[in-house]
Amino acid sequence: MNTIIVDLKWQSLAQKALQGECIILEEGLAVLEADNDEVLLLLQAAFQVRKHFYGKKVKLNMIINAKSGLCPEDCGYCSQSIVSTAPVAKYTLLDKDTLLAGAREALARKAGTYCIVAAGKGPTDKELDQVIDAVKEIRETMPLKICACLGILKGNQAERLAEAGVHRYNHNLNTSKANYTAITTTHTYDQRVETVDQVKSQGMSPCSGVIIGMGETHQEIVEMAYALRELNVDSIPINFLNAVPGTPLEHAGRTPSMKALKVLALFRFICPSKEIRVAGGREVNLRTLQPLSLYAANSLFVGDYLTTAGQDVTADHQIIEDLGFEIELNAL
């Protein structure tokens, strides 16, 4: 197939996305199975969609691991789970002063969104009170958007977070429905969908994404993108498994950099108007090709992740500058 025909093929997917038409399964599989020689053309098509909705702006987000380890869940990818033997820090929910200090650090890193993340199946009412207390002060004193990621919500917890001023709530689907029980058995895929629906019902911005590299098929990757399109989430973090020693998935390996770029293009075509964030594992999986990810994605996590290190924030700022893009401040 010559270059012109290949280019037209990917351009047709971009046009579909811009017209609000969802690409079909066969087209999604073609993206993931494209020859590596076609990746630049594929990214150019994805960039047309990204640029239409987000221009050349890049949103930055920073995570604080507000409660580490001590988790009763058996998620195979997670170093904080009960089945992990990885040597991670274990501590209860951080106090308000520490959460406030994290928010100030987010501002220093030019992040517009500060993500408060706590390990566990879901928050206790006491933990929720602690988070809410910190959120209220952050809202009063700093120009930050706040995202909470506290697990499965129950009762009126979503309502209380919304009333406190939480802008966004993250609860990832992580993998496909078909692959779910191979990854975790202590909660269900449907419970995750229900939490996202709760968040939406309370007016918070829904954030939900995936982890690529956990034994899923190409068809299941396309199905994950369809599921998030159907859920109509605003933000989609695309994580690439960082196979931590001591976790059940420690031998899963890494996603090849070129495949990771194809995945990002796929999600841009299927969820064209949504924030697509290159998230955990990007440094390990994309390696030197990280700058190319921003031709499909429009958002990054800066700094460290929950239990693994990210790259120096100045490197991320330089990537954005060198691409001729710009940081979008104070935006969800």
Side-chain angles (χ1 to χ4, degrees), residues 166-189:
V166 171
H167 299 89
R168 172 172 286 169
Y169 195 87
N170 166 263
H171 200 55
N172 292 333
L173 296 184
N174 287 327
T175 193
S176 69
K177 190 167 187 175
N179 195 42
Y180 212 80
T181 56
I183 304 303
T184 183
T185 63
T186 47
H187 62 268
T188 67
Y189 178 92

mmCIF file with all atom_site columns, all heavy atoms in Angstrom, residues 166-189:
data_model
loop_
_atom_site.group_PDB
_atom_site.id
_atom_site.type_symbol
_atom_site.label_atom_id
_atom_site.label_alt_id
_atom_site.label_comp_id
_atom_site.label_asym_id
_atom_site.label_entity_id
_atom_site.label_seq_id
_atom_site.pdbx_PDB_ins_code
_atom_site.Cartn_x
_atom_site.Cartn_y
_atom_site.Cartn_z
_atom_site.occupancy
_atom_site.B_iso_or_equiv
_atom_site.pdbx_formal_charge
_atom_site.auth_seq_id
_atom_site.auth_comp_id
_atom_site.auth_asym_id
_atom_site.auth_atom_id
_atom_site.pdbx_PDB_model_num
ATOM 1   N N   . VAL A 1 166 ? -15.127 19.418  45.113 1.00 0.00 ? 166 VAL A N   1
ATOM 2   C CA  . VAL A 1 166 ? -14.325 18.552  44.244 1.00 0.00 ? 166 VAL A CA  1
ATOM 3   C C   . VAL A 1 166 ? -14.841 18.703  42.811 1.00 0.00 ? 166 VAL A C   1
ATOM 4   O O   . VAL A 1 166 ? -16.030 18.542  42.553 1.00 0.00 ? 166 VAL A O   1
ATOM 5   C CB  . VAL A 1 166 ? -14.395 17.086  44.712 1.00 0.00 ? 166 VAL A CB  1
ATOM 6   C CG1 . VAL A 1 166 ? -13.747 16.164  43.675 1.00 0.00 ? 166 VAL A CG1 1
ATOM 7   C CG2 . VAL A 1 166 ? -13.714 16.927  46.069 1.00 0.00 ? 166 VAL A CG2 1
ATOM 8   N N   . HIS A 1 167 ? -13.952 19.021  41.904 1.00 0.00 ? 167 HIS A N   1
ATOM 9   C CA  . HIS A 1 167 ? -14.351 19.245  40.517 1.00 0.00 ? 167 HIS A CA  1
ATOM 10  C C   . HIS A 1 167 ? -14.523 17.940  39.738 1.00 0.00 ? 167 HIS A C   1
ATOM 11  O O   . HIS A 1 167 ? -15.423 17.816  38.912 1.00 0.00 ? 167 HIS A O   1
ATOM 12  C CB  . HIS A 1 167 ? -13.285 20.082  39.793 1.00 0.00 ? 167 HIS A CB  1
ATOM 13  C CG  . HIS A 1 167 ? -13.068 21.435  40.364 1.00 0.00 ? 167 HIS A CG  1
ATOM 14  N ND1 . HIS A 1 167 ? -12.173 21.691  41.367 1.00 0.00 ? 167 HIS A ND1 1
ATOM 15  C CD2 . HIS A 1 167 ? -13.641 22.630  40.060 1.00 0.00 ? 167 HIS A CD2 1
ATOM 16  C CE1 . HIS A 1 167 ? -12.189 22.980  41.660 1.00 0.00 ? 167 HIS A CE1 1
ATOM 17  N NE2 . HIS A 1 167 ? -13.069 23.568  40.891 1.00 0.00 ? 167 HIS A NE2 1
ATOM 18  N N   . ARG A 1 168 ? -13.633 16.996  40.032 1.00 0.00 ? 168 ARG A N   1
ATOM 19  C CA  . ARG A 1 168 ? -13.575 15.779  39.217 1.00 0.00 ? 168 ARG A CA  1
ATOM 20  C C   . ARG A 1 168 ? -13.336 14.580  40.122 1.00 0.00 ? 168 ARG A C   1
ATOM 21  O O   . ARG A 1 168 ? -12.677 14.677  41.154 1.00 0.00 ? 168 ARG A O   1
ATOM 22  C CB  . ARG A 1 168 ? -12.450 15.915  38.187 1.00 0.00 ? 168 ARG A CB  1
ATOM 23  C CG  . ARG A 1 168 ? -12.142 14.668  37.390 1.00 0.00 ? 168 ARG A CG  1
ATOM 24  C CD  . ARG A 1 168 ? -11.165 14.970  36.266 1.00 0.00 ? 168 ARG A CD  1
ATOM 25  N NE  . ARG A 1 168 ? -11.830 15.708  35.197 1.00 0.00 ? 168 ARG A NE  1
ATOM 26  C CZ  . ARG A 1 168 ? -11.213 16.297  34.181 1.00 0.00 ? 168 ARG A CZ  1
ATOM 27  N NH1 . ARG A 1 168 ? -9.896  16.260  34.107 1.00 0.00 ? 168 ARG A NH1 1
ATOM 28  N NH2 . ARG A 1 168 ? -11.899 16.916  33.242 1.00 0.00 ? 168 ARG A NH2 1
ATOM 29  N N   . TYR A 1 169 ? -13.888 13.439  39.712 1.00 0.00 ? 169 TYR A N   1
ATOM 30  C CA  . TYR A 1 169 ? -13.639 12.199  40.451 1.00 0.00 ? 169 TYR A CA  1
ATOM 31  C C   . TYR A 1 169 ? -13.136 11.164  39.464 1.00 0.00 ? 169 TYR A C   1
ATOM 32  O O   . TYR A 1 169 ? -13.732 10.944  38.403 1.00 0.00 ? 169 TYR A O   1
ATOM 33  C CB  . TYR A 1 169 ? -14.907 11.688  41.134 1.00 0.00 ? 169 TYR A CB  1
ATOM 34  C CG  . TYR A 1 169 ? -14.613 10.626  42.179 1.00 0.00 ? 169 TYR A CG  1
ATOM 35  C CD1 . TYR A 1 169 ? -14.308 10.987  43.492 1.00 0.00 ? 169 TYR A CD1 1
ATOM 36  C CD2 . TYR A 1 169 ? -14.618 9.273   41.860 1.00 0.00 ? 169 TYR A CD2 1
ATOM 37  C CE1 . TYR A 1 169 ? -14.014 10.031  44.455 1.00 0.00 ? 169 TYR A CE1 1
ATOM 38  C CE2 . TYR A 1 169 ? -14.326 8.307   42.805 1.00 0.00 ? 169 TYR A CE2 1
ATOM 39  C CZ  . TYR A 1 169 ? -14.020 8.695   44.109 1.00 0.00 ? 169 TYR A CZ  1
ATOM 40  O OH  . TYR A 1 169 ? -13.724 7.752   45.065 1.00 0.00 ? 169 TYR A OH  1
ATOM 41  N N   . ASN A 1 170 ? -12.033 10.511  39.839 1.00 0.00 ? 170 ASN A N   1
ATOM 42  C CA  . ASN A 1 170 ? -11.444 9.476   38.993 1.00 0.00 ? 170 ASN A CA  1
ATOM 43  C C   . ASN A 1 170 ? -11.778 8.090   39.525 1.00 0.00 ? 170 ASN A C   1
ATOM 44  O O   . ASN A 1 170 ? -11.616 7.808   40.711 1.00 0.00 ? 170 ASN A O   1
ATOM 45  C CB  . ASN A 1 170 ? -9.920  9.629   38.932 1.00 0.00 ? 170 ASN A CB  1
ATOM 46  C CG  . ASN A 1 170 ? -9.251  8.390   38.349 1.00 0.00 ? 170 ASN A CG  1
ATOM 47  O OD1 . ASN A 1 170 ? -8.776  7.527   39.077 1.00 0.00 ? 170 ASN A OD1 1
ATOM 48  N ND2 . ASN A 1 170 ? -9.237  8.292   37.035 1.00 0.00 ? 170 ASN A ND2 1
ATOM 49  N N   . HIS A 1 171 ? -12.230 7.234   38.633 1.00 0.00 ? 171 HIS A N   1
ATOM 50  C CA  . HIS A 1 171 ? -12.415 5.823   38.965 1.00 0.00 ? 171 HIS A CA  1
ATOM 51  C C   . HIS A 1 171 ? -12.233 5.045   37.667 1.00 0.00 ? 171 HIS A C   1
ATOM 52  O O   . HIS A 1 171 ? -13.130 4.993   36.823 1.00 0.00 ? 171 HIS A O   1
ATOM 53  C CB  . HIS A 1 171 ? -13.802 5.583   39.572 1.00 0.00 ? 171 HIS A CB  1
ATOM 54  C CG  . HIS A 1 171 ? -13.903 4.313   40.359 1.00 0.00 ? 171 HIS A CG  1
ATOM 55  N ND1 . HIS A 1 171 ? -13.060 4.011   41.407 1.00 0.00 ? 171 HIS A ND1 1
ATOM 56  C CD2 . HIS A 1 171 ? -14.750 3.258   40.247 1.00 0.00 ? 171 HIS A CD2 1
ATOM 57  C CE1 . HIS A 1 171 ? -13.393 2.836   41.924 1.00 0.00 ? 171 HIS A CE1 1
ATOM 58  N NE2 . HIS A 1 171 ? -14.402 2.358   41.229 1.00 0.00 ? 171 HIS A NE2 1
ATOM 59  N N   . ASN A 1 172 ? -11.061 4.474   37.475 1.00 0.00 ? 172 ASN A N   1
ATOM 60  C CA  . ASN A 1 172 ? -10.716 3.838   36.211 1.00 0.00 ? 172 ASN A CA  1
ATOM 61  C C   . ASN A 1 172 ? -11.440 2.512   36.006 1.00 0.00 ? 172 ASN A C   1
ATOM 62  O O   . ASN A 1 172 ? -11.613 1.743   36.952 1.00 0.00 ? 172 ASN A O   1
ATOM 63  C CB  . ASN A 1 172 ? -9.204  3.581   36.135 1.00 0.00 ? 172 ASN A CB  1
ATOM 64  C CG  . ASN A 1 172 ? -8.399  4.855   36.049 1.00 0.00 ? 172 ASN A CG  1
ATOM 65  O OD1 . ASN A 1 172 ? -8.889  5.874   35.555 1.00 0.00 ? 172 ASN A OD1 1
ATOM 66  N ND2 . ASN A 1 172 ? -7.169  4.817   36.515 1.00 0.00 ? 172 ASN A ND2 1
ATOM 67  N N   . LEU A 1 173 ? -11.803 2.241   34.749 1.00 0.00 ? 173 LEU A N   1
ATOM 68  C CA  . LEU A 1 173 ? -12.282 0.897   34.403 1.00 0.00 ? 173 LEU A CA  1
ATOM 69  C C   . LEU A 1 173 ? -11.110 -0.080  34.399 1.00 0.00 ? 173 LEU A C   1
ATOM 70  O O   . LEU A 1 173 ? -11.275 -1.264  34.671 1.00 0.00 ? 173 LEU A O   1
ATOM 71  C CB  . LEU A 1 173 ? -12.951 0.897   33.030 1.00 0.00 ? 173 LEU A CB  1
ATOM 72  C CG  . LEU A 1 173 ? -14.232 1.728   32.880 1.00 0.00 ? 173 LEU A CG  1
ATOM 73  C CD1 . LEU A 1 173 ? -14.813 1.531   31.480 1.00 0.00 ? 173 LEU A CD1 1
ATOM 74  C CD2 . LEU A 1 173 ? -15.256 1.381   33.948 1.00 0.00 ? 173 LEU A CD2 1
ATOM 75  N N   . ASN A 1 174 ? -9.944  0.405   34.067 1.00 0.00 ? 174 ASN A N   1
ATOM 76  C CA  . ASN A 1 174 ? -8.669  -0.324  34.065 1.00 0.00 ? 174 ASN A CA  1
ATOM 77  C C   . ASN A 1 174 ? -8.513  -1.308  32.916 1.00 0.00 ? 174 ASN A C   1
ATOM 78  O O   . ASN A 1 174 ? -7.529  -1.284  32.200 1.00 0.00 ? 174 ASN A O   1
ATOM 79  C CB  . ASN A 1 174 ? -8.418  -1.041  35.395 1.00 0.00 ? 174 ASN A CB  1
ATOM 80  C CG  . ASN A 1 174 ? -8.050  -0.072  36.498 1.00 0.00 ? 174 ASN A CG  1
ATOM 81  O OD1 . ASN A 1 174 ? -7.417  0.945   36.243 1.00 0.00 ? 174 ASN A OD1 1
ATOM 82  N ND2 . ASN A 1 174 ? -8.463  -0.361  37.719 1.00 0.00 ? 174 ASN A ND2 1
ATOM 83  N N   . THR A 1 175 ? -9.458  -2.229  32.758 1.00 0.00 ? 175 THR A N   1
ATOM 84  C CA  . THR A 1 175 ? -9.336  -3.202  31.679 1.00 0.00 ? 175 THR A CA  1
ATOM 85  C C   . THR A 1 175 ? -10.723 -3.498  31.118 1.00 0.00 ? 175 THR A C   1
ATOM 86  O O   . THR A 1 175 ? -11.712 -2.880  31.518 1.00 0.00 ? 175 THR A O   1
ATOM 87  C CB  . THR A 1 175 ? -8.619  -4.476  32.170 1.00 0.00 ? 175 THR A CB  1
ATOM 88  O OG1 . THR A 1 175 ? -8.246  -5.278  31.037 1.00 0.00 ? 175 THR A OG1 1
ATOM 89  C CG2 . THR A 1 175 ? -9.470  -5.292  33.124 1.00 0.00 ? 175 THR A CG2 1
ATOM 90  N N   . SER A 1 176 ? -10.798 -4.423  30.188 1.00 0.00 ? 176 SER A N   1
ATOM 91  C CA  . SER A 1 176 ? -12.081 -4.749  29.572 1.00 0.00 ? 176 SER A CA  1
ATOM 92  C C   . SER A 1 176 ? -12.938 -5.573  30.532 1.00 0.00 ? 176 SER A C   1
ATOM 93  O O   . SER A 1 176 ? -12.429 -6.206  31.461 1.00 0.00 ? 176 SER A O   1
ATOM 94  C CB  . SER A 1 176 ? -11.851 -5.556  28.289 1.00 0.00 ? 176 SER A CB  1
ATOM 95  O OG  . SER A 1 176 ? -11.354 -6.846  28.605 1.00 0.00 ? 176 SER A OG  1
ATOM 96  N N   . LYS A 1 177 ? -14.214 -5.593  30.274 1.00 0.00 ? 177 LYS A N   1
ATOM 97  C CA  . LYS A 1 177 ? -15.114 -6.398  31.102 1.00 0.00 ? 177 LYS A CA  1
ATOM 98  C C   . LYS A 1 177 ? -14.742 -7.874  31.020 1.00 0.00 ? 177 LYS A C   1
ATOM 99  O O   . LYS A 1 177 ? -14.757 -8.593  32.032 1.00 0.00 ? 177 LYS A O   1
ATOM 100 C CB  . LYS A 1 177 ? -16.560 -6.188  30.666 1.00 0.00 ? 177 LYS A CB  1
ATOM 101 C CG  . LYS A 1 177 ? -17.582 -6.798  31.609 1.00 0.00 ? 177 LYS A CG  1
ATOM 102 C CD  . LYS A 1 177 ? -18.981 -6.300  31.327 1.00 0.00 ? 177 LYS A CD  1
ATOM 103 C CE  . LYS A 1 177 ? -19.952 -6.803  32.402 1.00 0.00 ? 177 LYS A CE  1
ATOM 104 N NZ  . LYS A 1 177 ? -21.319 -6.240  32.226 1.00 0.00 ? 177 LYS A NZ  1
ATOM 105 N N   . ALA A 1 178 ? -14.355 -8.339  29.837 1.00 0.00 ? 178 ALA A N   1
ATOM 106 C CA  . ALA A 1 178 ? -14.012 -9.750  29.655 1.00 0.00 ? 178 ALA A CA  1
ATOM 107 C C   . ALA A 1 178 ? -12.738 -10.130 30.400 1.00 0.00 ? 178 ALA A C   1
ATOM 108 O O   . ALA A 1 178 ? -12.580 -11.265 30.855 1.00 0.00 ? 178 ALA A O   1
ATOM 109 C CB  . ALA A 1 178 ? -13.860 -10.060 28.173 1.00 0.00 ? 178 ALA A CB  1
ATOM 110 N N   . ASN A 1 179 ? -11.814 -9.189  30.546 1.00 0.00 ? 179 ASN A N   1
ATOM 111 C CA  . ASN A 1 179 ? -10.518 -9.465  31.172 1.00 0.00 ? 179 ASN A CA  1
ATOM 112 C C   . ASN A 1 179 ? -10.530 -9.179  32.676 1.00 0.00 ? 179 ASN A C   1
ATOM 113 O O   . ASN A 1 179 ? -9.538  -9.423  33.362 1.00 0.00 ? 179 ASN A O   1
ATOM 114 C CB  . ASN A 1 179 ? -9.437  -8.597  30.498 1.00 0.00 ? 179 ASN A CB  1
ATOM 115 C CG  . ASN A 1 179 ? -8.019  -9.043  30.813 1.00 0.00 ? 179 ASN A CG  1
ATOM 116 O OD1 . ASN A 1 179 ? -7.721  -10.231 30.830 1.00 0.00 ? 179 ASN A OD1 1
ATOM 117 N ND2 . ASN A 1 179 ? -7.132  -8.085  31.064 1.00 0.00 ? 179 ASN A ND2 1
ATOM 118 N N   . TYR A 1 180 ? -11.642 -8.689  33.190 1.00 0.00 ? 180 TYR A N   1
ATOM 119 C CA  . TYR A 1 180 ? -11.646 -8.113  34.537 1.00 0.00 ? 180 TYR A CA  1
ATOM 120 C C   . TYR A 1 180 ? -11.284 -9.110  35.632 1.00 0.00 ? 180 TYR A C   1
ATOM 121 O O   . TYR A 1 180 ? -10.461 -8.821  36.505 1.00 0.00 ? 180 TYR A O   1
ATOM 122 C CB  . TYR A 1 180 ? -12.996 -7.450  34.843 1.00 0.00 ? 180 TYR A CB  1
ATOM 123 C CG  . TYR A 1 180 ? -12.812 -6.279  35.761 1.00 0.00 ? 180 TYR A CG  1
ATOM 124 C CD1 . TYR A 1 180 ? -12.377 -5.053  35.260 1.00 0.00 ? 180 TYR A CD1 1
ATOM 125 C CD2 . TYR A 1 180 ? -12.991 -6.397  37.133 1.00 0.00 ? 180 TYR A CD2 1
ATOM 126 C CE1 . TYR A 1 180 ? -12.152 -3.980  36.089 1.00 0.00 ? 180 TYR A CE1 1
ATOM 127 C CE2 . TYR A 1 180 ? -12.766 -5.325  37.964 1.00 0.00 ? 180 TYR A CE2 1
ATOM 128 C CZ  . TYR A 1 180 ? -12.345 -4.121  37.443 1.00 0.00 ? 180 TYR A CZ  1
ATOM 129 O OH  . TYR A 1 180 ? -12.095 -3.069  38.274 1.00 0.00 ? 180 TYR A OH  1
ATOM 130 N N   . THR A 1 181 ? -11.894 -10.292 35.603 1.00 0.00 ? 181 THR A N   1
ATOM 131 C CA  . THR A 1 181 ? -11.643 -11.249 36.687 1.00 0.00 ? 181 THR A CA  1
ATOM 132 C C   . THR A 1 181 ? -10.232 -11.819 36.651 1.00 0.00 ? 181 THR A C   1
ATOM 133 O O   . THR A 1 181 ? -9.762  -12.386 37.639 1.00 0.00 ? 181 THR A O   1
ATOM 134 C CB  . THR A 1 181 ? -12.660 -12.403 36.655 1.00 0.00 ? 181 THR A CB  1
ATOM 135 O OG1 . THR A 1 181 ? -12.629 -13.029 35.360 1.00 0.00 ? 181 THR A OG1 1
ATOM 136 C CG2 . THR A 1 181 ? -14.066 -11.887 36.941 1.00 0.00 ? 181 THR A CG2 1
ATOM 137 N N   . ALA A 1 182 ? -9.521  -11.636 35.531 1.00 0.00 ? 182 ALA A N   1
ATOM 138 C CA  . ALA A 1 182 ? -8.122  -12.047 35.478 1.00 0.00 ? 182 ALA A CA  1
ATOM 139 C C   . ALA A 1 182 ? -7.212  -11.044 36.189 1.00 0.00 ? 182 ALA A C   1
ATOM 140 O O   . ALA A 1 182 ? -6.060  -11.355 36.490 1.00 0.00 ? 182 ALA A O   1
ATOM 141 C CB  . ALA A 1 182 ? -7.675  -12.206 34.022 1.00 0.00 ? 182 ALA A CB  1
ATOM 142 N N   . ILE A 1 183 ? -7.750  -9.868  36.459 1.00 0.00 ? 183 ILE A N   1
ATOM 143 C CA  . ILE A 1 183 ? -6.963  -8.794  37.065 1.00 0.00 ? 183 ILE A CA  1
ATOM 144 C C   . ILE A 1 183 ? -7.327  -8.582  38.527 1.00 0.00 ? 183 ILE A C   1
ATOM 145 O O   . ILE A 1 183 ? -6.474  -8.340  39.377 1.00 0.00 ? 183 ILE A O   1
ATOM 146 C CB  . ILE A 1 183 ? -7.154  -7.473  36.283 1.00 0.00 ? 183 ILE A CB  1
ATOM 147 C CG1 . ILE A 1 183 ? -6.791  -7.668  34.805 1.00 0.00 ? 183 ILE A CG1 1
ATOM 148 C CG2 . ILE A 1 183 ? -6.347  -6.342  36.896 1.00 0.00 ? 183 ILE A CG2 1
ATOM 149 C CD1 . ILE A 1 183 ? -5.384  -8.181  34.570 1.00 0.00 ? 183 ILE A CD1 1
ATOM 150 N N   . THR A 1 184 ? -8.606  -8.676  38.863 1.00 0.00 ? 184 THR A N   1
ATOM 151 C CA  . THR A 1 184 ? -9.040  -8.514  40.249 1.00 0.00 ? 184 THR A CA  1
ATOM 152 C C   . THR A 1 184 ? -10.339 -9.284  40.477 1.00 0.00 ? 184 THR A C   1
ATOM 153 O O   . THR A 1 184 ? -11.165 -9.404  39.569 1.00 0.00 ? 184 THR A O   1
ATOM 154 C CB  . THR A 1 184 ? -9.229  -7.030  40.623 1.00 0.00 ? 184 THR A CB  1
ATOM 155 O OG1 . THR A 1 184 ? -9.588  -6.925  41.986 1.00 0.00 ? 184 THR A OG1 1
ATOM 156 C CG2 . THR A 1 184 ? -10.311 -6.380  39.787 1.00 0.00 ? 184 THR A CG2 1
ATOM 157 N N   . THR A 1 185 ? -10.502 -9.774  41.725 1.00 0.00 ? 185 THR A N   1
ATOM 158 C CA  . THR A 1 185 ? -11.731 -10.517 42.074 1.00 0.00 ? 185 THR A CA  1
ATOM 159 C C   . THR A 1 185 ? -12.451 -9.904  43.261 1.00 0.00 ? 185 THR A C   1
ATOM 160 O O   . THR A 1 185 ? -13.528 -10.361 43.618 1.00 0.00 ? 185 THR A O   1
ATOM 161 C CB  . THR A 1 185 ? -11.391 -11.983 42.413 1.00 0.00 ? 185 THR A CB  1
ATOM 162 O OG1 . THR A 1 185 ? -10.550 -12.016 43.575 1.00 0.00 ? 185 THR A OG1 1
ATOM 163 C CG2 . THR A 1 185 ? -10.699 -12.673 41.254 1.00 0.00 ? 185 THR A CG2 1
ATOM 164 N N   . THR A 1 186 ? -11.869 -8.868  43.873 1.00 0.00 ? 186 THR A N   1
ATOM 165 C CA  . THR A 1 186 ? -12.457 -8.321  45.103 1.00 0.00 ? 186 THR A CA  1
ATOM 166 C C   . THR A 1 186 ? -13.472 -7.208  44.850 1.00 0.00 ? 186 THR A C   1
ATOM 167 O O   . THR A 1 186 ? -14.071 -6.682  45.783 1.00 0.00 ? 186 THR A O   1
ATOM 168 C CB  . THR A 1 186 ? -11.354 -7.812  46.051 1.00 0.00 ? 186 THR A CB  1
ATOM 169 O OG1 . THR A 1 186 ? -10.419 -7.020  45.300 1.00 0.00 ? 186 THR A OG1 1
ATOM 170 C CG2 . THR A 1 186 ? -10.617 -8.978  46.686 1.00 0.00 ? 186 THR A CG2 1
ATOM 171 N N   . HIS A 1 187 ? -13.628 -6.821  43.614 1.00 0.00 ? 187 HIS A N   1
ATOM 172 C CA  . HIS A 1 187 ? -14.747 -5.966  43.213 1.00 0.00 ? 187 HIS A CA  1
ATOM 173 C C   . HIS A 1 187 ? -15.000 -6.246  41.733 1.00 0.00 ? 187 HIS A C   1
ATOM 174 O O   . HIS A 1 187 ? -14.215 -6.950  41.085 1.00 0.00 ? 187 HIS A O   1
ATOM 175 C CB  . HIS A 1 187 ? -14.458 -4.474  43.458 1.00 0.00 ? 187 HIS A CB  1
ATOM 176 C CG  . HIS A 1 187 ? -13.298 -3.953  42.670 1.00 0.00 ? 187 HIS A CG  1
ATOM 177 N ND1 . HIS A 1 187 ? -12.012 -3.936  43.158 1.00 0.00 ? 187 HIS A ND1 1
ATOM 178 C CD2 . HIS A 1 187 ? -13.225 -3.439  41.422 1.00 0.00 ? 187 HIS A CD2 1
ATOM 179 C CE1 . HIS A 1 187 ? -11.190 -3.435  42.246 1.00 0.00 ? 187 HIS A CE1 1
ATOM 180 N NE2 . HIS A 1 187 ? -11.900 -3.142  41.182 1.00 0.00 ? 187 HIS A NE2 1
ATOM 181 N N   . THR A 1 188 ? -16.077 -5.716  41.200 1.00 0.00 ? 188 THR A N   1
ATOM 182 C CA  . THR A 1 188 ? -16.478 -6.047  39.834 1.00 0.00 ? 188 THR A CA  1
ATOM 183 C C   . THR A 1 188 ? -16.345 -4.851  38.899 1.00 0.00 ? 188 THR A C   1
ATOM 184 O O   . THR A 1 188 ? -16.289 -3.694  39.323 1.00 0.00 ? 188 THR A O   1
ATOM 185 C CB  . THR A 1 188 ? -17.934 -6.528  39.789 1.00 0.00 ? 188 THR A CB  1
ATOM 186 O OG1 . THR A 1 188 ? -18.802 -5.430  40.128 1.00 0.00 ? 188 THR A OG1 1
ATOM 187 C CG2 . THR A 1 188 ? -18.161 -7.682  40.763 1.00 0.00 ? 188 THR A CG2 1
ATOM 188 N N   . TYR A 1 189 ? -16.322 -5.157  37.640 1.00 0.00 ? 189 TYR A N   1
ATOM 189 C CA  . TYR A 1 189 ? -16.332 -4.133  36.589 1.00 0.00 ? 189 TYR A CA  1
ATOM 190 C C   . TYR A 1 189 ? -17.579 -3.261  36.733 1.00 0.00 ? 189 TYR A C   1
ATOM 191 O O   . TYR A 1 189 ? -17.507 -2.031  36.639 1.00 0.00 ? 189 TYR A O   1
ATOM 192 C CB  . TYR A 1 189 ? -16.317 -4.842  35.246 1.00 0.00 ? 189 TYR A CB  1
ATOM 193 C CG  . TYR A 1 189 ? -16.361 -3.947  34.023 1.00 0.00 ? 189 TYR A CG  1
ATOM 194 C CD1 . TYR A 1 189 ? -15.186 -3.520  33.408 1.00 0.00 ? 189 TYR A CD1 1
ATOM 195 C CD2 . TYR A 1 189 ? -17.577 -3.566  33.457 1.00 0.00 ? 189 TYR A CD2 1
ATOM 196 C CE1 . TYR A 1 189 ? -15.222 -2.727  32.268 1.00 0.00 ? 189 TYR A CE1 1
ATOM 197 C CE2 . TYR A 1 189 ? -17.623 -2.772  32.321 1.00 0.00 ? 189 TYR A CE2 1
ATOM 198 C CZ  . TYR A 1 189 ? -16.444 -2.349  31.740 1.00 0.00 ? 189 TYR A CZ  1
ATOM 199 O OH  . TYR A 1 189 ? -16.482 -1.567  30.615 1.00 0.00 ? 189 TYR A OH  1
#
